[in-house]
Amino acid sequence: MSATPLKREVYLLSRIDLPDSHTLSVYKANGGYQALEKVLTGGFTPAQVIQLVKDSGLRGRGGAGFSTGLKWSFMPDVAKDARPRYLAVNADESEPGTCKDRVLMEKDPHGLIEGILVACYAMRVKTAYVYVRGEYRLSYERVAAAVQEARAAGLIGQKILGTDFACDIWMHKGAGAYICGEETGLMESLEGKRGHPRPKPPFPAGSGLWKSPTTVNNVETLCNVPFVITRGAEWFKSLGTPKSPGNILIGISGHVERPGVYELPLGISARSVLEECAGGVWKGRTLKAWIPGGSSTGLLPGAKIDVAMDHDSIREAGSMLGTGAMIMLDETACTVRAMQVISRFYDHESCGQCSQCREGTQWLAQIFARLERGQGRMEDIELLSSLANGMAPAKTICALADAAAIPTHAIVKNFRAELEEHVRLGRCPLGSAHEAAELEEAHA
Amino acid sequence: MSERPQLPERLRAEFSELLTHYPERQAALIPALHRCQEELGGWLTPDTLEALAEFFGLEPVEVFGVASFYPMFQLRPVGKHMVAVCHNIACELRGAEDVLREACRVTGAKPGQPSSDGRFSVMRVECQGACTAAPMLVLDGVFHENLATADVARVLGSVR
Ligand SMILES: Cc1cc2nc3c(=O)[nH]c(=O)nc-3n(C[C@H](O)[C@H](O)[C@H](O)COP(=O)(O)O)c2cc1C
Ligand code: SF4
Ligand code: FES
């Protein structure tokens, strides 16, 4: 961890408490659309915008943490490739624990639109789709209304701000499948098909939506962009850590006093998120286990709470930053039960194309369920590991299989004693077995 | 014998506008399925799917294949009001099973089946993105968050 304290400055959520923060007039009165004006009328070429975003070190906030500027630079040269090109905005947010993009869309939709417009200018894209998960009714309505307002104000459409830049933004509603958050599943779904991920290569920049060059970016990633433009790469790098600059929205849920979405510099210690923001573990209890970045990142022991919330530090601690969604389990929670719920989710959401994933997620769900009920065997623990080894890394079309395998490895490594105790006692030592049986029955 | 089912004119007009947003027709299918479900009785009947197939120039089996992939689309009759209870991890840790049990008690429905009076369906659903306000349920598309078990009857009573 760095010796100097991290600089604290709120920007992403700086407007959300203003009355009517979702409207164009409030957005404009608080610095809105200045980044767009700067790039369109300030003599920035698209290549210069991409360079600025690269220099800022911004990394995607959708889970993988890939450099945003680098991703944009993969789009082919317009002089050599005349196909239409697209930006697909990933607003499918459905990784369990994650609810940050929703805050941005509900409270600051113009911030997203401005980020989209700057991205489209940089990549010479003329059409962007905002793929919003179907359940996010208010997010959809707020962004749709903001798109209308922006269109009426000449910020979307032809001759934007009186320049030759033209860009359309269309809203698109998903229908409740987690796999459509995976970038190629999203593209299939946007084309009106089942959300079956596509093998890569080809990568989206070469062949994406309708076989045309496409970039997929997360909502929070795009919301960072206007700030990078107006305040500059050096300012951005003054926040967070050298390898993970900027702020991140951290949602903290589960057994804490004040669950919520908080904006913090990358590299903040997980303990300070828990204690300062979330008011500590609820009911005066102690922390048994926690998930640092959504359900596909491995459970860590409570003792590892002093880790810094950035990509490298969490990897060293044995998990992943993912979507920055911290899920906290107190001393009364059962980690086997948690894995029963999580593995059931991946079983439900596997699209079924790859046998390792289709079969593997089903097996994991069944084994965790029987272990939790006290009907497991000691060999099941080895079976969990070998199944997870058969599923990942990179053995399937997309990373959903990895998302199921990773937390499985983590519980075997970090909470093996608790798995063994379930087998030895023939029941859940914490007494959640009765509920588990009921839960399975209802799910069948 | 029977005529091929057709979409109501107002939906056809709406979908024609939708088509202008995309380079290919089929892209409007999922938004159109949503609108049909909203406007035509809360679930997608075989007739609706067939009418959509006709509109999009697809085989009915293709439309069914898409609709059945997505959990938000109902392909069987549902109660008048839809209650969706999140049972994923953040909600589970804060009492989702109690909320579900209470929703079933208040409505008389079993998970996945409409209540016998046809007024409610209660569904288990995956994470709804309300994890920091858990546990939660969705009533007819509207989120109700930070629920105590005792709140469930009041929330569901609002549409009684
Ligand atoms: C199974 C799976 C689900 C995903 N779900 C989401 C999601 O809901 N939202 C999201 O932004 N990215 C999601 N991703 C990551 C996307 O594939 C992609 O990396 C991301 O949208 C890229 O945007 P970024 O570079 O701005 O982060 C998911 C990935 C996988 C493998
Ligand atoms: S890994 Fe799983 S979800 Fe991904 S494509 Fe294969 S079967 Fe589908
Ligand atoms: S886990 Fe229930 S809303 Fe996310």
Side-chain angles (χ1 to χ4, degrees):
Chain A
M1 274 209 301
S2 56
T4 43
L6 293 160
K7 186 169 120 191
R8 298 277 191 107
E9 179 183 341
V10 170
Y11 59 97
L12 283 169
L13 301 185
S14 56
R15 288 178 288 256
I16 66 166
D17 291 326
L18 301 171
D20 297 323
S21 64
H22 56 282
T23 59
L24 180 59
S25 54
V26 173
Y27 185 67
K28 276 198 147 168
N30 291 277
Y33 289 109
Q34 284 174 11
L36 184 67
E37 191 163 333
K38 185 170 171 184
V39 299
L40 291 189
T41 62
F44 274 82
T45 64
Q48 284 171 327
V49 177
I50 293 183
Q51 192 58 45
L52 179 53
V53 173
K54 257 192 206 167
D55 291 345
S56 76
L58 172 63
R59 299 171 69 165
R61 305 293 197 243
F66 193 80
S67 158
T68 304
L70 192 59
K71 187 189 267 194
W72 292 3
S73 74
F74 294 156
M75 290 291 267
D77 187 344
V78 269
K80 295 182 193 138
D81 192 329
R83 290 176 292 171
R85 41 181 63 212
Y86 301 102
L87 172 69
V89 181
N90 195 339
D92 193 52
E93 183 157 83
S94 25
E95 167 85 358
T98 315
C99 43
K100 60 183 181 78
D101 296 339
R102 179 183 160 198
V103 177
L104 295 167
M105 289 189 282
E106 290 181 2
K107 305 276 190 177
D108 202 29
H110 283 284
L112 172 61
I113 292 171
E114 186 170 12
I116 293 171
L117 291 167
V118 171
C120 287
Y121 176 75
M123 292 184 281
R124 297 174 178 273
V125 163
K126 292 198 174 65
T127 313
Y129 294 98
V130 188
Y131 185 104
V132 187
R133 66 175 299 183
E135 295 90 339
Y136 274 8
R137 187 190 273 191
L138 184 59
S139 293
Y140 185 95
E141 286 169 2
R142 286 272 166 89
V143 181
V147 165
Q148 269 196 343
E149 265 190 310
R151 188 170 278 131
L155 295 161
I156 296 176
Q158 301 297 315
K159 299 247 167 242
I160 294 172
L161 294 177
T163 68
D164 282 339
F165 176 55
C167 186
D168 257 321
I169 300 179
W170 301 113
M171 300 298 293
H172 190 95
K173 198 180 276 192
Y178 169 69
I179 196 57
C180 298
E182 195 280 336
E183 57 182 10
T184 61
L186 184 147
M187 296 187 306
E188 285 287 304
S189 180
L190 230 165
E191 291 181 9
K193 302 168 191 159
R194 290 185 288 256
H196 283 175
R198 303 171 182 173
K200 288 184 264 192
F203 291 96
S207 176
L209 281 168
W210 304 288
K211 297 198 165 62
S212 282
T214 301
T215 292
V216 182
N217 273 135
N218 169 261
V219 168
E220 184 187 342
T221 308
L222 291 165
C223 286
N224 272 279
V225 168
F227 297 99
V228 170
I229 301 294
T230 50
R231 300 187 195 179
E234 288 313 311
W235 164 80
F236 194 73
K237 286 194 287 193
S238 74
L239 296 160
T241 72
K243 284 185 178 171
S244 301
N247 283 355
I248 181 178
L249 298 186
I250 295 183
I252 178 166
S253 63
H255 294 158
V256 297
E257 288 290 345
R258 288 191 301 274
V261 176
Y262 301 96
E263 177 181 352
L264 295 158
L266 278 150
I268 188 83
S269 103
R271 181 188 293 281
S272 65
V273 183
L274 171 63
E275 292 178 355
E276 289 163 37
C277 301
V281 179
W282 71 349
K283 303 179 184 176
R285 293 183 189 155
T286 55
L287 184 68
K288 174 176 181 175
W290 64 292
I291 295 173
S295 69
S296 43
T297 66
L299 265 98
L300 292 172
K304 287 212 180 169
I305 194 65
D306 285 305
V307 64
M309 294 290 287
D310 63 71
H311 299 89
D312 294 335
S313 307
I314 301 218
R315 184 165 304 129
E316 274 162 39
S319 189
M320 292 188 311
L321 182 67
T323 57
M326 297 169 63
I327 308 170
M328 316 309 276
L329 279 67
D330 75 17
E331 70 211 48
T332 69
C334 173
T335 57
V336 183
R337 167 79 169 144
M339 280 309 299
Q340 181 193 9
V341 172
I342 288 171
S343 61
R344 177 193 64 199
F345 169 70
Y346 290 110
D347 177 26
H348 185 253
E349 300 297 328
S350 167
C351 85
Q353 288 188 98
C354 319
S355 48
Q356 300 96 316
C357 173
R358 183 183 61 242
E359 308 276 325
T361 52
Q362 195 177 350
W363 274 96
L364 293 179
Q366 283 175 5
I367 295 168
F368 279 118
R370 75 176 177 239
L371 282 164
E372 173 58 9
R373 277 198 309 266
Q375 293 165 354
R377 301 170 304 237
M378 282 299 172
E379 307 88 87
D380 281 344
I381 300 171
E382 266 24 86
L383 189 52
L384 287 173
S385 302
S386 78
L387 280 164
N389 280 328
M391 295 166 72
K395 295 195 161 79
T396 51
I397 293 177
C398 87
L400 185 139
D402 303 61
I406 287 164
T408 302
H409 284 307
I411 191 179
V412 173
K413 178 158 177 277
N414 297 328
F415 297 95
R416 188 180 191 106
E418 196 165 4
L419 288 164
E420 289 174 354
E421 204 180 355
H422 278 73
V423 177
R424 241 190 336 266
L425 292 176
R427 63 177 169 79
C428 174
L430 292 156
S432 39
H434 151 75
E435 272 191 23
E438 185 185 336
L439 178 137
E440 241 208 329
E441 178 195 28
H443 192 60
Chain B
M1 220 173 59
S2 62
E3 276 176 46
R4 287 198 69 183
Q6 286 271 322
L7 293 173
E9 190 44 45
R10 66 194 150 86
L11 287 180
R12 296 181 76 89
E14 193 182 318
F15 298 164
S16 298
E17 193 279 328
L18 209 53
L19 293 177
T20 65
H21 303 185
Y22 307 96
E24 284 185 15
R25 204 171 172 90
Q26 189 171 342
L29 176 59
I30 290 168
L33 283 161
H34 269 298
R35 291 292 296 134
C36 287
Q37 181 162 295
E38 282 163 17
E39 295 291 315
L40 305 175
W43 66 288
L44 296 163
T45 65
D47 276 1
T48 301
L49 295 177
E50 205 176 312
L52 276 167
E54 187 269 333
F55 183 85
F56 281 95
L58 298 165
E59 292 300 323
V61 65
E62 291 178 282
V63 174
F64 181 82
V66 172
S68 63
F69 183 83
Y70 293 95
M72 285 185 81
F73 295 136
Q74 307 300 331
L75 299 172
R76 280 182 295 177
V78 291
K80 183 155 175 265
H81 299 289
M82 179 65 75
V83 185
V85 181
C86 170
H87 69 168
N88 212 303
I89 184 68
C91 289
E92 148 75 18
L93 290 171
R94 293 181 78 108
E97 290 301 317
D98 294 335
V99 169
L100 183 82
R101 205 172 293 117
E102 178 69 356
C104 290
R105 189 191 67 78
V106 170
T107 60
K110 288 203 181 91
Q113 292 166 24
S115 57
S116 52
D117 62 5
R119 290 192 54 77
F120 288 97
S121 282
V122 178
M123 304 282 183
R124 288 172 172 275
V125 289
E126 299 303 347
C127 176
Q128 300 286 299
C131 325
T132 56
M136 64 90 71
L137 64 75
V138 189
L139 174 60
D140 297 332
V142 178
F143 283 23
H144 296 270
E145 304 177 328
N146 292 311
L147 293 173
T149 311
D151 299 331
V152 175
R154 177 182 49 75
V155 168
L156 300 184
S158 67
V159 296
R160 274 237 123 152

